[in-house]
Amino acid sequence: MPILEYQCKECERQFETIVLGSQQPVCPSCHSTKLERLLSVFAVGGKSDSFAASESFGPCGTRGPGACSLD
């Protein structure tokens, strides 16, 4: 069950909702189905200082996560 983000084209409200199968999401404010799906940003838990350090100085250097598979 993915949690998806939308913006209503009628009232401009942004919201998240769980979408089951072919279910059509509805704006919780105005009940419109004229929605734009937004690009979700994923969060990573933990302290930001330790995450930045482990990302910068990991086994692949400063090339970033997943870069080792490019070798």
Side-chain angles (χ1 to χ4, degrees), residues 6-70:
Y6 292 92
Q7 180 167 2
C8 179
K9 292 185 178 182
E10 296 290 326
C11 70
E12 302 290 321
R13 179 174 178 187
Q14 291 185 7
F15 62 96
E16 297 176 341
T17 187
I18 296 175
V19 179
L20 302 173
S22 61
Q23 179 184 33
Q24 175 67 36
V26 177
C27 176
S29 293
C30 69
H31 306 290
S32 173
T33 57
K34 295 179 182 176
L35 307 173
E36 177 183 355
R37 188 168 163 193
L38 302 176
L39 183 62
S40 298
V41 178
F42 296 96
V44 176
K47 294 182 179 180
S48 61
D49 292 341
S50 63
F51 177 73
S54 65
E55 183 179 343
S56 298
F57 302 108
C60 296
T62 57
R63 292 183 289 167
C68 289
S69 64
L70 298 176

